[in-house]
């Protein structure tokens, strides 16, 4: 070890080589080592046994140089030895080269290339000032290899990792490991020593390769899809035949159900026993009956509220639809009325015209007789009077047209006002609905807060958690320790009015969690939660015996603002410990507003700060230099608030405002409807006046036309007009009169039809309006009933809470015997189910969608159904044959060859399905024949996909096994570590976190009166630390493999008692394990006796 020794040759004292029998060497163990000019050794040689070897000597005698030589010989670099920066620095002072000669045993099943090397492998490492070399020789000393790859291949074969402290722990590594308090370094040590690192890297590489291969196969499969599309038509035809085949599959499923029928018979007994238990439970004191009655009332009232709300929603929708229909019907009604009025006006005009034509006809007839007399009487004065009359009639027609146009404009304006009024009524109705919905929602919130105020537990899970707590109290004897939960029930909050909502957001879902002490209680609580229909319950396993954690000041955030932990109070230490360990509440800081939080989180950035929560609803944190601000969801006082009175008062005020707004909307709606009726009445009056004016205008126009005709006739008449011309005119006039009468009759018929249509539309319109008013009245009535039911629901919930409080103070009568019988039947059911599972799994029975209801039938019933299904299959076969036969006999020219072939194949299949399955196989062979041109590639791709899937499944299985093994290794490491510590009366625990990649050691010293575990080994004395680290190393040794191991000054800082226990532990461990061990120590090892498996070698003292 030191270079200033006077003696150039290091020798082994033969007086200490006392052992009775040399054990046989195994493959990979060190048989002999020889050093020349290496460090302090000039010419050194030592042989080892394949069991336990102790190298003893004073400091400076060259003990540690042996381990350094082994590391260099097996390929380690100089820097990793912690003895030199370069290999040339390991040459003895005054010399120019050094030689390391190591002989390795190569016998047994694990021998490395025994046909080349023989029973001994010689590794020779030569070091000079300018270069170094590696030579591998066989047992005869013949050179076999000289490359570093050859050495690495041998080292990997024997699993010799000299850089692993579990294989060679040098003096410096021992000191460093003993003093290391870094949990991540310990984790790396553990991860590498147990080969988990190597396996994890391999699994990740394989996963990447499989992903690439999947992509390639997917591309290849996509290249043949166009060809596969051509086969789809034939494939669809084959599926039609598989229906009958499916019936045969159903028969097989029914046969499997027969095997489970015995299980279901036991289920019936279970139901009967359950009914018996229910009957016993009905004998519980009247308080339970009251609770059940209240629960039923609550459920009934809730259903009633839900039904009422559904009815109201449906009625509102119908009311809206009716209003829309009324609005839609209003326009057709107006058009029908207008059309009827126009037809009536036309009819009146035509009637007047016909009457005037009759009068004209009489006048013409009279004119024949008085022709001469009229000619004489038509003087110049009479012509002047007639012209004056024409001017008067023209003036009256013009005035009537102006009046008629004004009335039409007024009618159009009233129609627009009516449409606007209808739209306003619709808007008011929608607002009323919104206000009523808001009022109902606020009322629901008020009931929730009143329930939380009356029962704090209900605020952390509702009725499900109350039912769960009841089941826990009922089964409390089955728990090792009673569960704690919900966590929120066990918490009190300082300044709750200000911080309740903020702290609830900070803690999150942990408020609803339960805590148990071990895995058995975890499974039991999970089962009870399932019975209570509490599916997503979070259950935390934590040791209840751990006292309340005391967090040092330097581990808290350096700020004057309160943390979540500082505001929480609880009488249960476990609750606080869980919130600290899992929720990090000591690192969550609370501030009043956003600006303050921004300064603390992003500017000050105090140590140990995780998150900032503000009272105005913000969450802030900084991760990796990224500043993040998130809004908090939800409003309200929070479940940790001590009182909800103020919030309930505010909600009631809002509900009152919403109700007042709804009532005000109803009042405005009634006023709008009154205004609408007035507008409609005015429109009717205007239309009637317009019709009268129109008739007057038509009559005046007709009179004007007659006067003009008369004037023209008189002007054109001559005294010499013949009677024959007047007769011709009379004849033509009669023809026109007949035509006008025919047109008048058609107009009257159209007028009657239009009047009937308008009347029908008016009746329908009035009926719809009446229905809408009735519907609105019904909606108001249903709303009043809904509010009444809500009041009854509130009373029922108060009554239920009262009786539940009484129930908690009384003891339920025992029904243990009935429950034990129920458990026996359950076990019997499990036994039968296990036997039935040998035939088929139960999920295959449950998956039979087409055979539902078989689970509750007896075996005889299932057998009869099976027989019936067989007959049905035979009937289907015969039926399909009858149906398809005409299509096969008559081959239509329009059908393709494939269609005819399909029908023929299906006929063969239907005729012989009950006897054999060859026809469908033949049809599938026909399908495969058309597939032959792509089958080769498909098979290749399918094989590749199957292999990849198999590789993926194998990878997933290995990944699960890797995680499982990692978990077991973690537990095994902790157990073995504790077993080694017990030899000195110490207890300990190792915690490995694979997510954070940390490994922590906890040691409980027997002399510590506080009974607190030491989590940092630096808090132990030197001997205690060395012994605990030694125990950790031995625990790792048991989980790692290597043909030999070496430890230098493992007992540093140990006192005499610790060293004795450590030596006994080491020797017993090494002898039991069976591999080769090399221990180097300067201390006394007299307690270890040499033997067949223990060899002690004493190094000569160094000379000055």
């Amino acid at each position: 070890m030191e270079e200033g020794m006077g003696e150039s040759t290091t020798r082994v004292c033969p007086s200490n080589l006392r052992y009775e029998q040399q054990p046989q060497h195994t493959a990979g163990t060190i048989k002999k080592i020889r050093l020349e000019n290496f460090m302090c050794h000039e010419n050194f040689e030592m042989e080892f046994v394949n069991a336990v070897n102790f190298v003893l000597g004073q400091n400076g005698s060259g003990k540690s140089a042996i381990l350094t030589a082994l590391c260099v010989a097996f390929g380690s670099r100089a820097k990793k030895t912690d003895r030199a920066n370069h290999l040339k620095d390991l040459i003895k002072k005054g010399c120019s080269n050094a030689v390391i000669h190591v002989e390795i045993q190569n016998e047994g099943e694990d021998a490395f290339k025994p046909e080349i090397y023989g029973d001994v492998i010689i590794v020779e490492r030569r070091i000079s000032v300018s270069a170094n070399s590696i030579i591998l020789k066989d047992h005869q000393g013949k050179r076999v290899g000289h490359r570093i790859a050859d050495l690495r291949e041998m080292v990997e074969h024997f699993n010799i990792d000299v850089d692993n402290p579990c294989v060679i722990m040098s003096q410096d590594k021992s000191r460093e490991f003993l003093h290391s308090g870094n949990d991540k370094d310990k984790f790396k040590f553990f991860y590498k020593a147990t080969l988990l690192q190597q396996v994890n890297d391999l699994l990740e590489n394989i996963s990447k390769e499989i992903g690439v291969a999947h992509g390639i196969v997917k591309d290849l499969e996509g290249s043949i899809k166009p060809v596969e599309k051509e086969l789809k038509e034939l494939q669809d035809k084959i599926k039609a035949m598989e229906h009958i085949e499916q019936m045969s599959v159903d028969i097989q499923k029914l046969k499997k159900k027969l095997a489970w029928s015995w299980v279901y018979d036991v289920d019936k007994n279970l139901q009967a026993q359950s009914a018996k238990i229910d009957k016993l439970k009905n004998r519980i004191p009247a308080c339970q009956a009251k609770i059940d009655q209240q629960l039923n009332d609550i459920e009934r009232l809730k259903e009633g509220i839900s039904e009422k709300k559904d009815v109201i929603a449906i009625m509102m929708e119908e009311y809206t639809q009716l209003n829309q229909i009324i609005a839609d019907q209003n326009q057709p009604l107006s058009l029908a009325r207008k059309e009827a009025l126009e037809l009536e006006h036309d009819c009146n005009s035509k009637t007047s015209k016909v009457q005037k034509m009759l009068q004209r006809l009489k006048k013409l007839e009279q004119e024949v007789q008085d022709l001469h007399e009229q000619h004489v009487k038509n003087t110049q004065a009479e012509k002047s009077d007639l012209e004056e009359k024409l001017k008067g009639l023209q003036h009256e027609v013009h005035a009537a047209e102006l009046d008629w146009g004004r009335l039409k404009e007024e009618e159009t304006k009233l129609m627009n006002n009516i449409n606007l009024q209808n739209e306003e009524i619709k808007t008011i109705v929608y607002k009323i609905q919104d206000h009523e919905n808001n009022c109902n929602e606020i009322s629901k919130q008020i009931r929730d807060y009143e329930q939380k105020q009356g029962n704090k537990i209900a605020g952390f899970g509702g009725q499900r958690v109350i039912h769960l707590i009841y089941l826990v109290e009922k089964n409390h004897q089955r728990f090792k320790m009673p569960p704690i939960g919900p966590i929120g029930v066990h918490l009190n909050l300082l300044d709750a009015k200000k911080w309740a909502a903020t702290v609830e957001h900070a803690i999150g879902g942990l408020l609803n969690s339960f805590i148990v002490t071990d895995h058995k209680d975890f499974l039991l609580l999970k089962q009870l939660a399932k019975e209570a229909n509490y599916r997503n319950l979070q259950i935390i396993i934590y040791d209840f015996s751990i006292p309340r954690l005391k967090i040092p000041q330097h581990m808290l955030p350096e700020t004057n603002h309160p943390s979540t932990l500082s505001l929480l109070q609880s009488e249960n230490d476990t609750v606080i410990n869980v919130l600290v360990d899992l929720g990090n509440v000591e690192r969550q800081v609370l501030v009043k507003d956003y600006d303050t939080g921004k300064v603390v989180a992003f500017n000050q950035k105090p140590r140990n700060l995780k998150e900032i929560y503000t009272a105005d609803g913000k969450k802030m944190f900084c991760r990796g230099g990224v500043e993040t601000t998130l809004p908090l969801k939800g409003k309200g006082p929070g479940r940790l608030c001590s009182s909800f009175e103020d919030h309930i008062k505010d909600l009631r005020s809002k509900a009152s405002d919403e109700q007042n707004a709804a009532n005000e909307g109803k009042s405005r709606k009634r006023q709008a409807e009154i205004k609408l009726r007035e507008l409609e009445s005015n429109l009717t009056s205007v239309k009637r006046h317009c019709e009268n004016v129109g008739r007057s205008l038509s009559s005046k126009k007709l009179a004007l036309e007659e006067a003009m005709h008369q004037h023209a006739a008189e002007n054109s008449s001559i005294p010499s007009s013949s009677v024959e011309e007047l007769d011709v005119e009379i004849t033509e006039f009669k023809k026109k009169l007949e035509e006008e009468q025919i047109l008048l009759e058609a107009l009257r018929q159209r007028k009657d039809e239009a009047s009937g249509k308008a009347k029908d539309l008016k009746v329908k319109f009035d009926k719809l309006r009446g229905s809408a008013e009735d519907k609105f009245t019904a909606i108001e009535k249903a709303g009043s009933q809904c509010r009444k039911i809500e009041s009854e629901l509130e009373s029922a919930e108060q009554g239920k809470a009262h009786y539940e409080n009484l129930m908690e103070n009384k003891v339920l009568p025992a029904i243990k015997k009935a429950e034990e019988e129920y458990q026996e039947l359950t076990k019997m059911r499990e036994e039968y189910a296990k036997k039935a599972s040998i035939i088929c799994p139960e999920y295959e029975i449950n998956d039979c969608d087409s055979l539902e209801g078989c689970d509750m039938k007896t075996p005889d019933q299932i057998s009869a159904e099976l027989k019936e299904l067989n007959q049905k299959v035979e009937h289907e076969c015969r039926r399909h044959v009858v149906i398809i036969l005409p299509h096969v006999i008559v081959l239509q020219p329009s059908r393709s060859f494939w269609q005819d072939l399909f029908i023929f194949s299906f006929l063969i299949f239907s005729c012989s399905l009950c006897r054999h399955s060859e026809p469908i196989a033949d049809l599938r062979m026909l399908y495969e024949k058309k597939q032959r041109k792509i089958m080769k590639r498909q098979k290749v791709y399918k094989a590749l996909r199957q292999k990849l899937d198999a590789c993926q499944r194998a990878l997933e299985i290995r990944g699960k096994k890797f995680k499982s093994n990692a978990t077991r290794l973690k537990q095994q490491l902790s157990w073995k570590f504790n077993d080694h510590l017990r030899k000195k009366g110490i207890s300990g625990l190792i915690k490995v976190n694979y997510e954070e990649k940390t490994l922590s050691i906890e040691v409980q010293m027997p002399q510590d009166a506080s009974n607190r575990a030491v989590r940092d080994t630096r808090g132990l004395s030197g001997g205690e630390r060395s012994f605990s680290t030694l125990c950790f190393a031995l625990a790792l040794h048991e989980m790692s493999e290597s043909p030999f191991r070496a430890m230098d000054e493992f007992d540093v800082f140990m006192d005499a008692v610790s060293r004795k226990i450590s030596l006994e532990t080491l020797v017993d461990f090494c002898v039991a394990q069976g591999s080769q061990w090399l221990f180097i120590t300067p201390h006394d090892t007299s307690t270890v006796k040499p033997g067949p498996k223990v060899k002690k070698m004493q190094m000569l003292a160094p000379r000055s």
Side-chain angles (χ1 to χ4, degrees), residues 54 85 184 230 239 446 543 576 637 641 709 808 846:
F54 281 89
N85 292 327
K184 291 188 178 295
E230 298 176 359
K239 287 181 179 179
I446 292 173
D543 189 358
I576 298 297
C641 184
H709 285 303
E808 291 176 356
N846 296 330

Side-chain angles (χ1 to χ4, degrees), residues 30-94:
I30 307 301
K31 184 177 181 181
K32 183 171 69 173
I33 184 171
R34 178 167 57 84
L35 306 177
E36 294 179 7
N37 299 329
F38 184 82
M39 294 182 69
C40 63
H41 297 291
E42 180 177 351
N43 188 9
F44 172 82
E45 183 174 326
M46 179 179 287
E47 294 185 358
F48 303 94
V49 297
N50 68 338
V52 182
N53 299 273
F54 281 89
V55 179
L56 311 175
Q58 301 178 8
N59 290 334
S61 61
K63 304 184 300 300
S64 299
I66 299 174
L67 294 186
T68 303
L70 287 174
C71 292
V72 173
F74 289 113
S76 180
R77 296 182 179 180
K79 288 185 178 180
K80 291 187 177 180
T81 63
D82 297 327
R83 293 307 183 104
N85 292 327
H86 305 283
L87 290 177
K88 64 182 180 180
D89 297 335
L90 298 176
I91 301 174
K92 182 176 174 63
K93 189 174 182 180

Side-chain angles (χ1 to χ4, degrees), residues 512-767:
N512 297 341
S513 303
F514 278 69
I515 311 173
V516 296
T517 187
D518 56 19
H519 189 68
K520 182 180 179 182
D521 286 0
F522 169 84
L523 295 177
L524 179 56
L525 182 59
K526 188 174 182 181
Q527 179 184 358
L528 296 179
K530 186 176 181 181
E531 294 179 9
N533 199 24
Y534 203 160
R535 300 291 180 182
N536 300 322
L537 177 63
Q538 183 179 2
I539 305 174
I540 301 169
I541 301 176
Y542 200 87
D543 189 358
F544 289 4
S545 63
I546 298 177
R548 179 170 296 196
L549 300 176
K550 295 182 179 179
I551 304 173
Q553 189 64 31
H554 69 275
M555 297 179 67
L556 297 174
E558 298 176 354
T559 179
N560 295 328
H561 297 283
S563 65
T564 304
L565 179 61
S566 64
L567 297 178
L568 293 176
Q569 291 182 341
S570 178
E571 297 179 357
N572 196 308
D573 295 343
T574 303
V575 171
I576 298 297
N577 292 347
V578 168
L579 293 177
V580 171
D581 287 343
L582 300 182
N584 298 314
V585 293
E586 79 282 4
R587 297 173 58 195
Q588 298 171 343
V589 176
L590 310 177
V591 298
K592 62 180 181 179
D593 53 27
Y594 170 76
D595 295 333
T596 306
K598 186 176 180 181
V599 172
V600 176
F602 304 145
N603 296 339
Q604 297 178 0
K605 296 182 179 179
R607 294 176 56 191
N608 302 318
L609 174 65
K610 182 181 180 183
E611 296 162 340
I612 291 285
Y613 290 88
T614 66
D616 55 0
K618 297 290 188 299
K619 175 183 177 182
M620 306 177 184
F621 57 88
C622 187
R623 301 285 189 274
V626 178
E627 300 176 354
T628 304
T629 302
L630 300 175
L632 300 177
K633 298 180 180 178
K635 296 181 180 179
R639 295 176 290 178
L640 297 177
C641 184
S642 58
S643 176
F644 298 90
E645 290 294 340
D646 295 338
H647 195 66
I648 292 174
K649 186 176 180 181
D650 294 339
L651 289 176
R652 285 177 176 167
S653 177
K654 292 180 180 179
S656 178
D657 294 341
E658 293 290 341
Q659 187 63 42
N660 293 335
N663 294 333
E664 183 180 352
K666 293 176 182 178
S667 177
R668 287 192 287 110
K669 177 176 174 290
R670 286 192 291 270
Q671 294 176 1
E673 288 175 343
I674 292 172
K675 186 176 180 181
L676 177 62
R677 295 191 192 100
E678 292 177 354
L679 290 173
E680 290 176 345
S681 177
N682 293 336
L683 177 63
T684 304
S685 177
V686 169
K687 285 183 176 180
R688 189 180 301 110
H689 191 191
C690 185
E691 289 173 359
N692 295 332
V693 172
R695 285 194 294 270
S696 176
L697 176 62
S698 299
S699 63
K700 289 179 180 180
K701 284 183 177 181
L702 186 59
L704 178 62
E705 290 176 357
E706 289 178 354
M708 293 176 68
H709 285 303
Q710 182 180 1
H711 182 265
E714 289 176 352
N715 290 333
S716 61
S717 298
I718 56 174
S720 61
S721 296
S722 65
V723 176
E724 294 178 357
E725 292 176 351
L726 290 174
D727 292 335
V728 172
E729 185 179 357
I730 290 171
T731 303
E732 292 176 356
F733 201 84
K734 286 181 178 181
K735 292 180 179 180
K736 291 182 180 180
L737 179 61
E738 290 176 357
E739 292 175 357
E740 291 296 332
Q741 287 177 343
I742 292 172
L743 292 174
L744 176 61
E745 187 65 26
L747 283 174
R748 285 175 178 173
Q749 186 176 359
R750 288 177 59 193
K751 184 196 74 170
D752 295 337
E753 291 176 357
S755 300
K757 180 180 179 182
K759 185 177 180 180
D760 294 338
L761 288 174
K762 183 66 170 63
V763 171
K764 186 177 180 181
F765 183 82
D766 293 338
K767 185 176 180 181

Side-chain angles (χ1 to χ4, degrees), residues 200-219:
N200 186 49
D201 294 342
L202 287 173
L203 291 177
E204 290 179 353
N205 292 333
I206 292 171
S207 179
K208 292 178 181 178
E209 294 296 331
I210 290 176
V212 173
H214 271 296
I216 295 173
V217 173
K218 185 176 180 180
D219 294 339

Side-chain angles (χ1 to χ4, degrees), residues 133-149:
S133 61
I134 297 174
I135 301 174
L136 298 180
K137 301 180 180 180
D138 59 7
H139 65 290
Q140 296 178 353
K142 183 178 179 181
R143 178 174 175 176
V144 176
H146 63 282
R147 298 179 303 168
I148 188 68

